[in-house]
């Protein structure tokens, strides 16, 4: 009778629901001898309709419901035996722990031997239709209150709940064959002896070992085996640093010598990048699954120390792999995410990622989540690390079943993982396996945990390792002999020693051997670009015209669009007739021309289908038929590549990480993420800093993701003005002090050497070309574009088809093209600028009649800095003083980036003067009048040709 918890507060509503539901064939109970049904016991309060009577009836109808709902709270999950499974220390008075407590429910000991007709909703009977109350309780306790704790009764799908019940309640389901037990033992040997080998050879090195949860290796292999058996061909994994080397060695099957040589302090790094610590690296490997004898591709995605940051990246890569395979149901590609207990509960990106799991353009058709529940976070106890009972409670928001399991019971773990893999591949939904374990050492091997968790670690020091426990069990039951066990250990130890010997021959570390997302055929065999040239990015005019006509029409018949949208489409048609394009039409033409060339385009972000500023309208909505939509971009050509445009959830961190992962899968796709406003990217700063800016340097991982960040000072307040260009420029890796050599391939070589490209386009044609260049380059780099707001409808911000037709290309710098260019010797001031402020300068110059004395040059590409073209422009106007003008405040924007580069290029003889707003804490003012006053002030300075006389730089 141990540990059966009947909580009235939980069962009251359940009882009412059960009694109100259609009757179930159960309501007879009888003793072992034949006779009339046993009488219904009187209630404690004496009331025939009392709560106790209702609960008793509910229990008779569905006697196992109590265990299914509450059994996990009293399951024996902690291998240390010192903590509760959850943080709920309250023990209700109605918890039955002894026979005398039966009276609380008006039951007597004699009732335990009465037999009950089992309901059709339970599987505990197997082939039996009746069981005694004593046996019912025993079987339910065995299922729900031992080493496995199940949470699934919150799932509002009867079929799914019944599926789980059958998997765990059916008698004998957890029986393993001798061969399966020997395989499990061998996998445990490899997992534990790998950690032991590292500890012996490099006792003072950080490696974030798996000791205390060695069962994770056979657990992951079981999930992969079962998934392979069900048709999965590609598994993409994400995990933190703990146990990563073990996973690389024993799951991904990375060569051991490649792992061991990482510990050699004399190992020289190749010139591929800065690299990363060994427990952050990823790997891609194709091999035969030995259990199913089928091919399987395994990819462990590289990640930083930022726990859980890799989650959405894995999901995006998984989605892309499914897309390219036409695997809409996730039958061929799946993801596994490994988490720590503290991070799973504490990191908000976990919640963001879960909320992508069932969205049409983001679902990966189910993920298996494995929580390595050390019951501690670095030095923080669970009661200080979360408010929820379990670290896994976040998964309840998407109705994911949660299977808690004692990690010191390997067979229970393996069974649960097999069920989890079956669940994912049956229902295409997320599932969580909570491995309740411990951390034998500190946070890392050099850390002393006794400072903060003395009692826990006293128990851990006494804890018998799981391998010895399981080996003793199998030896006792005759499944293996002691000699066979020792031979298995010796065999793996020998493999490690031989690999260690070979690792000493390695002198150079090649990061490319750890690439998690290879692109076969894109680079040459050495991983280098096949050329260092970029073709022209223009397209034939008939292609522009055709795309423009589709963009200004509705391809579907009997489709009623909004009258306001009709006006927009007529405006587009008029532009096509006049051979011009605004920002939205130029984007349409860039996307459409790439689709014609077989390049998949995916645009994601908040409200991108219409566009935050109502300019895009890539998805048309029928005004008469609910949810009927049309995407004209997918009606351009019969054999075009598909176009995906999708409004995302209100998330930046999760969604940007997802799109980054999507872009990892193939170089032959243009993947774009647009922020609703540019400054919203700062909630995704982790993805930008740890993956996008540094990904190639750390992990030799090329990525062509495009960030569209609306930017501009327009008097709309500090929050929606600046996309913080200074931050991106600060992280750009080009050297401000190095005077470059201007070779024939300087432009492309400069792009190849940079970590990302930062641009602020001032014309639709520039935007068109830079998007196309992103694909036509022989390599991939992230592209950051500060996109306009008011320029979307500015009458002057239009481009002629002549600037986009065949033979044209992206201009990194747009030089002065007016009167000043025709008489450069007369020019007294050359103003360099970028983006929207150009139009303010043109208007002000015209009003002052200074077209011949002041030249305006635009930087379309800011980083890498176009040294060659800037020098040409400066040399063209030898008598002009140089000015940098920006609308951003001086401590923001571009000046701190461009100023030292101008100095390197031109020296102090020709200083670059600053014109713009002064330093400030906030990016912009919230007062419209103040905005206009400050704008006019710096425009006055820009065109005051005596402004810098007598001043020293």
């Amino acid at each position: 009778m141990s540990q059966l918890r009947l909580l009235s507060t939980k069962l009251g509503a359940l009882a009412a629901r059960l009694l109100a539901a259609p009757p179930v064939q159960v309501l007879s109970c009888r003793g072992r001898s034949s006779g009339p049904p046993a009488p219904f016991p009187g209630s404690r309060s004496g009331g025939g309709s009392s709560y106790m009577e209702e609960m008793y009836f509910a229990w008779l109808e569905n006697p196992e419901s109590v265990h299914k709902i509450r059994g996990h709270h009293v399951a024996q999950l902690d291998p240390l035996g010192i903590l509760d499974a959850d943080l709920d220390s309250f023990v209700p008075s109605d918890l039955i722990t002894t026979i005398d407590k039966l009276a609380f429910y008006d039951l007597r000991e004699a009732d335990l031997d009465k037999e009950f007709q089992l309901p059709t909703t339970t599987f505990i009977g197997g082939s039996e239709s009746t069981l005694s109350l004593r046996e019912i309780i025993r079987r339910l306790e065995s299922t729900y209150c031992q080493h496995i704790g199940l949470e699934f009764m919150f799932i509002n799908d009867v079929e799914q709940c019944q599926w789980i019940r059958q998997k765990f309640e059916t008698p004998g389901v957890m029986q393993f064959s001798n061969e399966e037990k020997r395989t499990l033992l061998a996998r445990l040997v490899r997992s534990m002896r790998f950690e032991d080998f590292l500890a012996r050879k490099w006792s003072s090195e950080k490696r974030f070992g798996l000791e205390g949860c060695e069962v994770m290796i056979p657990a992951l292999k079981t999930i992969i085996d079962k998934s392979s058996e069900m048709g999965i061909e590609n598994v993409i994994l994400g995990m933190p640093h703990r146990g990563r080397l073990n996973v690389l060695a024993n799951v991904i099957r990375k060569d051991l010598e490649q792992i061991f040589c990482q510990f050699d302090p004399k190992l020289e790094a190749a010139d591929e990048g800065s690299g990363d610590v060994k427990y952050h690296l990823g790997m891609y490997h194709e091999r035969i699954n030995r259990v199913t004898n089928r091919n399987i591709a395994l990819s462990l995605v590289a990640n930083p120390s930022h726990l859980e940051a890799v989650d959405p990246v894995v999901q995006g890569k998984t989605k892309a792999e499914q897309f390219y395979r036409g695997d809409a149901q996730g039958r061929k590609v799946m993801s596994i995410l490994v988490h720590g207990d503290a991070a799973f509960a504490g990191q908000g990106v976990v919640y963001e990622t879960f909320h992508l799991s069932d969205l049409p353009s983001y679902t990966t058709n189910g993920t298996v989540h494995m929580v390595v529940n050390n019951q501690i976070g670095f030095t923080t106890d669970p009661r200080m690390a979360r408010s929820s009972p379990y670290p896994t409670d976040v998964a309840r928001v998407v109705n994911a079943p949660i299977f808690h399991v004692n990690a010191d019971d390997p067979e229970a773990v393996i069974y649960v993982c097999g069920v989890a893999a079956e669940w994912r591949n049956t229902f295409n939904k997320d599932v969580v396996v909570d491995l309740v374990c411990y951390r034998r050492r500190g946070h890392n091997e050099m850390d002393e945990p006794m400072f903060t968790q003395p009692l826990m670690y006293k128990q851990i020091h006494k804890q018998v390792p799981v391998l010895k426990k399981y080996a003793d069990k199998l030896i006792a039951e005759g499944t293996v002999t002691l000699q066979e066990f020792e031979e298995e250990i010796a065999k793996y130890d020998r493999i490690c020693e031989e690999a260690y010997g070979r690792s000493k021959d390695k002198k150079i570390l090649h990061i490319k051997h750890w690439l998690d997302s290879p692109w076969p055929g894109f680079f040459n065999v050495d991983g280098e670009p096949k050329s260092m040239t970029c073709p022209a990015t223009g397209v034939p005019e008939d292609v522009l015209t055709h795309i423009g006509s589709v963009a200004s029409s509705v391809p579907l018949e009997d489709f009623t669009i909004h009258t306001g949208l009709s006006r927009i489409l007529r405006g587009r048609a008029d532009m096509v007739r006049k051979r011009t394009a605004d920002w939205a039409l130029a984007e349409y033409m860039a996307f459409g021309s790439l689709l014609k060339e077989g390049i998949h385009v995916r645009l994601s972000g908040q409200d991108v289908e219409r566009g935050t500023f109502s300019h895009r309208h890539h998805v048309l909505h029928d005004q008469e038929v609910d949810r009927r939509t049309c995407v004209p971009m997918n009606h351009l050509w019969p054999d075009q590549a598909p176009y995906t445009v999708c409004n995302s959830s209100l998330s930046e961190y999760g969604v940007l990480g997802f799109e980054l992962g999507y872009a990892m899968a193939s170089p032959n796709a243009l993947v774009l993420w647009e922020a609703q406003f540019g400054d919203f990217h700062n909630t995704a700063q982790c993805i930008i800093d740890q993956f996008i800016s540094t990904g190639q340097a750390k992990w030799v991982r090329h990525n062509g993701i495009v960030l569209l960040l609306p930017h501009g000072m327009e008097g709309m307040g500090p929050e929606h003005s600046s996309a913080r260009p200074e931050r991106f420029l600060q992280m750009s890796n080009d050297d401000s002090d190095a005077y470059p050599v201007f070779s024939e391939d300087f432009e492309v070589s400069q792009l190849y050497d940079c970590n990302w490209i930062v641009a602020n386009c001032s014309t639709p044609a520039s935007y068109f070309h830079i998007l196309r260049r992103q694909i036509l380059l022989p390599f991939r780099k992230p592209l950051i574009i500060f996109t306009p707001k008011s320029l979307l409808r500015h009458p002057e911000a239009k481009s002629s088809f002549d600037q986009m037709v065949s033979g044209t290309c992206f201009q990194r710098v747009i030089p002065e093209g007016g009167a000043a260019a025709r008489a450069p010797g007369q020019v007294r001031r050359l103003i360099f600028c970028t983006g929207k402020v150009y139009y303010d300068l043109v208007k002000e110059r015209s009003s002052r009649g200074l077209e011949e004395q002041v030249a305006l040059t635009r930087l379309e590409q800011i980083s890498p800095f176009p040294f060659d073209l800037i020098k040409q422009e400066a040399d063209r106007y030898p008598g002009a003083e140089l000015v940098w003008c920006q609308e951003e405040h001086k401590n923001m924007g571009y000046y701190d980036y461009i100023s030292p580069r101008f100095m390197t290029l031109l020296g102090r003889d020709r200083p670059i003067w600053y014109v713009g707003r002064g330093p400030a804490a906030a990016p912009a003012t919230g007062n419209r009048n103040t905005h206009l006053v400050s704008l006019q002030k710096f425009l006055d300075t820009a065109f005051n040709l005596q402004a810098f006389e007598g001043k020293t730089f």
Side-chain angles (χ1 to χ4, degrees):
M1 291 305 302
S2 65
Q3 298 179 325
L4 169 60
R5 188 180 289 184
L6 298 172
L7 293 181
S8 59
T9 55
K10 291 286 186 182
L11 285 180
L14 175 65
R17 287 200 305 272
L18 287 170
L19 291 170
V24 186
Q25 300 172 359
V26 289
L27 282 178
S28 62
C29 68
R30 56 187 174 82
R32 288 194 178 274
S33 59
S34 61
F40 180 81
S43 67
R44 296 177 75 235
S45 62
S49 60
S50 71
Y51 169 73
M52 290 307 302
E53 181 179 352
E54 289 182 359
M55 191 169 73
Y56 186 85
F57 268 124
W59 192 86
L60 284 179
E61 290 204 27
N62 199 354
E64 81 277 15
S65 61
V66 173
H67 288 80
K68 287 189 303 240
I69 295 172
R70 302 294 292 172
H72 60 89
H73 286 289
V74 293
Q76 300 164 29
L77 300 177
D78 180 16
L80 302 177
I82 59 176
L83 295 175
D84 293 327
D86 59 12
L87 299 183
D88 184 6
S89 59
F90 172 69
V91 179
S93 60
D94 53 357
L95 174 62
I96 297 179
T97 55
T98 57
I99 290 176
D100 63 287
K101 288 196 174 183
L102 288 170
F104 186 85
Y105 297 102
D106 285 334
L107 293 169
R108 294 173 295 278
E109 187 174 1
D111 293 323
L112 293 174
D113 295 320
K114 292 179 180 177
E115 290 200 356
F116 288 84
Q117 181 75 31
L118 295 174
T120 56
T121 55
T122 188
F123 298 91
I124 61 170
S127 59
E128 302 173 84
S129 59
T130 64
L131 289 175
S132 69
L133 179 56
R134 189 188 305 276
E135 182 62 14
I136 288 172
I137 292 174
R138 189 195 68 78
R139 293 191 183 187
L140 289 174
E141 284 188 340
S142 176
T143 298
Y144 293 106
C145 303
Q146 297 301 309
H147 288 166
I148 298 173
L150 306 177
E151 290 187 90
F152 67 95
M153 290 297 286
F154 51 81
I155 298 174
N156 52 6
D157 185 297
V158 173
E159 178 193 359
Q160 293 174 7
C161 289
Q162 285 294 89
W163 187 92
I164 294 173
R165 288 172 185 159
Q166 184 172 17
K167 290 294 180 183
F168 288 95
E169 291 181 0
T170 304
V173 289
M174 284 183 56
Q175 298 299 316
F176 290 85
S177 69
N178 285 345
E179 184 60 33
E180 289 171 329
K181 291 178 180 180
R182 283 192 289 268
T183 297
L184 172 52
L185 181 65
R187 289 175 170 179
L188 272 176
V189 165
R190 286 176 171 256
S191 176
M192 188 159 186
R193 297 303 290 179
F194 177 82
E195 299 294 352
D196 289 348
F197 184 84
L198 296 184
R200 289 197 308 273
K201 296 294 185 182
W202 299 281
S203 58
S204 60
E205 280 273 351
K206 289 182 184 178
R207 54 186 168 82
F208 295 95
L210 196 55
E211 293 99 327
C213 194
E214 293 91 345
V215 76
M216 186 183 84
I217 299 303
L220 287 173
K221 292 176 77 71
T222 297
I223 294 170
I224 293 168
D225 292 346
K226 180 63 69 172
S227 299
S228 174
E229 181 183 304
M230 300 183 77
I232 292 294
E233 299 171 354
N234 190 339
V235 179
I236 300 164
L237 296 94
M239 67 176 296
H241 40 280
R242 187 166 312 286
R244 190 179 193 86
L245 297 179
N246 207 324
V247 170
L248 283 164
N250 291 313
V251 178
I252 309 295
R253 305 298 290 274
K254 177 76 174 172
D255 291 340
L256 291 178
E257 57 264 35
Q258 290 279 348
I259 297 174
F260 295 160
C261 75
Q262 290 270 340
F263 289 90
D264 185 355
K266 297 179 182 178
L267 190 69
E268 298 179 12
D271 57 358
E272 302 157 324
S274 60
D276 201 351
V277 292
K278 49 192 167 290
Y279 40 81
H280 287 172
L281 298 176
M283 174 64 184
Y284 175 87
H285 186 49
E286 295 182 21
R287 61 176 175 83
I288 296 291
N289 182 280
R290 293 177 181 174
V291 173
T292 61
N293 203 33
R294 295 177 178 176
N295 285 319
I296 187 108
L298 301 174
S299 178
L300 177 61
V301 177
N303 66 280
S305 286
H306 297 62
L307 298 173
E308 308 296 343
V310 79
D311 296 357
V313 180
V314 167
Q315 300 298 65
K317 179 173 165 59
T318 303
K319 181 67 174 179
E321 296 288 0
Q322 291 174 350
F323 175 85
Y324 295 128
R325 290 170 178 249
D327 183 20
Q329 301 302 314
R331 303 297 185 192
K332 300 296 183 184
V333 183
M334 68 172 287
S335 57
I336 300 174
L337 288 175
V338 180
H339 314 267
D341 52 320
F344 198 60
Q347 291 291 316
V349 71
V350 175
Y351 185 84
E352 292 187 37
T353 305
F354 266 118
H355 271 285
L356 298 176
S357 65
D358 205 29
L359 303 183
S361 295
Y362 300 88
T363 181
T364 56
N365 303 286
T367 297
V368 179
H369 299 266
M370 180 176 291
V371 178
V372 177
N373 188 350
N374 294 314
Q375 307 180 81
I376 189 174
F378 203 152
T379 66
T380 304
D381 289 331
R383 65 181 179 273
M384 303 300 178
R386 64 178 187 266
S387 296
S388 61
Y390 291 104
T392 54
D393 287 332
V394 63
R396 295 170 67 106
V397 301
V398 293
N399 278 340
I402 301 166
F403 305 149
H404 308 278
V405 59
N406 188 320
D408 262 15
D409 186 343
E411 291 183 7
V413 170
I414 296 313
Y415 183 76
V416 160
C417 288
V419 173
E422 285 188 65
W423 166 275
R424 186 272 167 197
N425 292 293
T426 300
F427 297 106
N428 299 114
K429 291 175 67 68
D430 285 39
V431 57
V432 177
V433 176
D434 178 21
L435 295 179
V436 185
C437 57
Y438 58 93
R439 190 187 66 197
R440 185 168 288 278
R441 304 176 189 271
H443 175 67
N444 59 62
E445 286 70 24
M446 302 297 99
D447 192 54
E448 176 50 77
M450 291 287 284
F451 288 148
T452 51
Q453 277 77 30
L455 298 182
M456 171 185 270
Y457 273 84
K458 284 178 182 177
Q459 181 61 40
I460 288 174
H461 293 156
K462 301 175 186 175
Q463 194 76 3
V464 177
V466 64
L467 176 60
K468 176 168 173 47
K469 286 183 181 179
Y470 191 58
D472 289 348
K473 174 180 180 293
L474 296 192
I475 292 169
E477 66 186 34
T479 303
V480 297
T481 66
L482 177 60
Q483 181 180 351
E484 289 172 329
F485 172 55
E486 291 174 343
E487 287 174 352
E488 188 69 34
I489 290 177
K491 173 184 172 184
Y492 189 68
D493 286 353
R494 187 166 56 253
I495 291 172
C496 290
E497 286 290 352
E498 291 171 356
Y500 176 65
R502 293 192 299 271
S503 73
K504 295 179 179 180
D505 298 329
K506 305 247 178 228
K507 305 300 181 185
I508 298 178
L509 167 64
H510 290 281
I511 311 170
K512 63 187 178 185
H513 294 160
W514 299 77
L515 187 60
D516 57 17
S517 301
W519 293 339
F522 185 70
F523 296 109
N524 64 27
V525 292
D526 296 323
E528 300 295 326
K530 294 179 178 179
S531 73
M532 286 301 286
T533 61
C534 180
T537 47
V539 299
E541 184 164 342
D542 63 319
V543 173
L544 297 176
T545 302
H546 174 70
I547 296 171
S549 64
V550 173
S552 55
S553 63
V554 182
L556 300 182
E557 296 182 359
D558 301 320
F559 194 98
T560 305
I561 61 174
H562 192 276
T563 54
L565 186 54
S566 298
R567 184 171 62 254
I568 292 172
L569 298 188
R570 287 195 300 271
R572 287 181 183 173
D574 185 57
M575 282 190 288
V576 173
R577 283 192 296 272
K578 295 177 179 177
R579 300 181 66 252
T580 61
D582 65 3
W583 210 271
L585 190 55
E587 180 183 75
Y588 223 110
M589 291 172 172
F591 290 178
S593 59
L594 289 172
L595 295 172
K596 184 178 189 298
E597 296 162 15
I599 300 299
H600 168 48
V601 178
R602 175 183 169 94
L603 172 62
S604 164
Q606 295 157 21
D607 311 298
V608 297
E609 295 178 4
R610 190 202 75 171
T612 299
F613 310 103
S614 196
H615 67 289
R616 183 172 286 124
H617 297 286
H618 282 191
V619 178
L620 310 181
H621 293 260
D622 195 316
Q623 301 295 297
E624 304 296 334
V625 182
D626 187 35
R627 298 184 183 181
R628 186 186 183 206
T629 60
C630 171
V631 181
M633 195 84 76
N634 280 321
H635 295 266
L636 292 170
W637 289 277
D639 56 348
Q640 68 173 72
Y643 173 56
T644 301
V645 56
C646 43
N647 290 340
S648 74
S649 64
L650 200 66
S651 154
E652 289 84 27
Y653 190 168
V655 174
L656 179 56
F658 187 98
E659 301 307 331
L660 175 78
Y662 198 101
M664 282 168 52
S666 170
N668 299 313
L670 182 67
V671 180
L672 309 96
W673 175 77
E674 182 175 70
Q676 192 177 65
F677 288 91
D679 53 342
F680 288 176
H681 76 75
N682 57 18
T683 62
Q685 199 69 47
C686 178
I687 297 297
I688 294 168
D689 291 354
Q690 310 309 133
F691 290 87
I692 300 178
S693 170
T694 58
Q696 183 181 350
K698 294 193 294 188
W699 307 317
V700 203
R701 176 200 285 166
H702 283 244
N703 196 296
I705 191 170
V706 180
L707 273 61
L708 304 178
L709 307 177
H711 171 83
M713 308 294 115
E714 294 170 359
M716 301 304 293
E719 260 63 63
H720 296 327
S721 296
S722 177
R724 297 291 190 173
E726 65 277 1
R727 295 182 179 173
F728 293 94
L729 294 172
Q730 183 192 38
M731 290 188 284
S732 296
N733 69 346
D734 59 331
D735 189 347
S736 63
D737 300 323
Y739 194 98
V741 177
F742 300 132
S743 60
E744 184 178 342
D745 61 358
F746 175 74
E747 177 181 353
V748 177
S749 296
Q750 196 184 31
L751 293 172
Y752 181 68
D753 291 336
C754 74
N755 61 321
W756 57 17
I757 304 164
V758 181
N760 188 354
C761 299
S762 63
T763 71
S766 283
Y767 183 50
F768 166 86
H769 284 295
I770 200 170
L771 291 176
R772 287 186 49 78
R773 187 185 73 170
Q774 189 71 354
I775 290 298
L776 294 177
L777 284 170
F779 45 81
R780 294 290 174 263
K781 298 286 178 173
L783 172 60
I784 316 299
I785 306 180
F786 303 116
T787 55
K789 295 175 289 183
S790 61
L791 291 192
L792 297 172
R793 294 178 177 83
H794 197 292
E796 301 300 320
K798 289 189 172 125
S799 295
S800 166
F801 281 11
D802 292 336
Q803 298 169 302
M804 298 186 288
V805 294
S806 300
T808 59
C809 61
F810 176 68
Q811 291 181 274
R812 292 172 292 149
V813 171
I814 301 179
E816 170 65 56
R822 291 190 290 271
Q826 305 301 314
V827 173
R828 297 178 58 190
R829 178 169 291 179
L830 172 57
I831 299 178
F832 292 93
C833 64
T834 186
K836 179 182 74 71
V837 74
Y838 168 77
Y839 294 91
D840 296 321
L841 291 168
V842 168
K843 181 179 178 182
E844 187 69 18
R845 182 179 66 173
S846 176
S847 70
R848 294 172 182 253
L850 295 175
E851 288 90 339
E852 294 183 353
Q853 295 174 279
V854 178
L856 301 177
T857 296
R858 288 168 273 175
L859 274 70
E860 303 293 285
Q861 175 183 298
I862 306 157
S863 179
F865 191 70
F867 284 99
D868 52 336
L869 301 181
I870 294 297
K871 181 166 176 52
Q872 287 179 21
E873 284 299 290
D875 291 347
R876 182 177 299 165
Y877 305 96
E881 64 180 354
L882 307 181
V883 167
W884 175 262
C885 183
Q886 65 180 39
E887 59 179 353
E888 298 83 2
H889 291 282
K890 187 175 183 180
N891 57 324
M892 304 174 195
Y894 320 92
Y895 182 65
D896 285 343
Y897 175 83
I898 65 97
S899 178
R901 287 161 178 81
F902 268 92
M903 292 290 293
T904 297
L905 195 61
L906 304 173
R908 290 189 172 273
D909 294 337
R910 297 190 72 185
I912 180 83
W913 297 97
Y914 172 78
V915 171
R917 294 180 168 95
T925 177
N927 182 277
R928 176 72 175 173
N929 182 64
T930 303
H931 164 76
L932 294 175
V933 169
S934 61
L935 171 62
Q936 189 58 53
K937 182 179 178 181
F938 78 72
L939 289 176
D940 289 342
T941 304
F943 293 101
N944 176 1
L945 301 183
Q946 291 77 41
F948 303 109
E949 287 184 1
K951 293 187 178 180
T952 56
F953 185 73

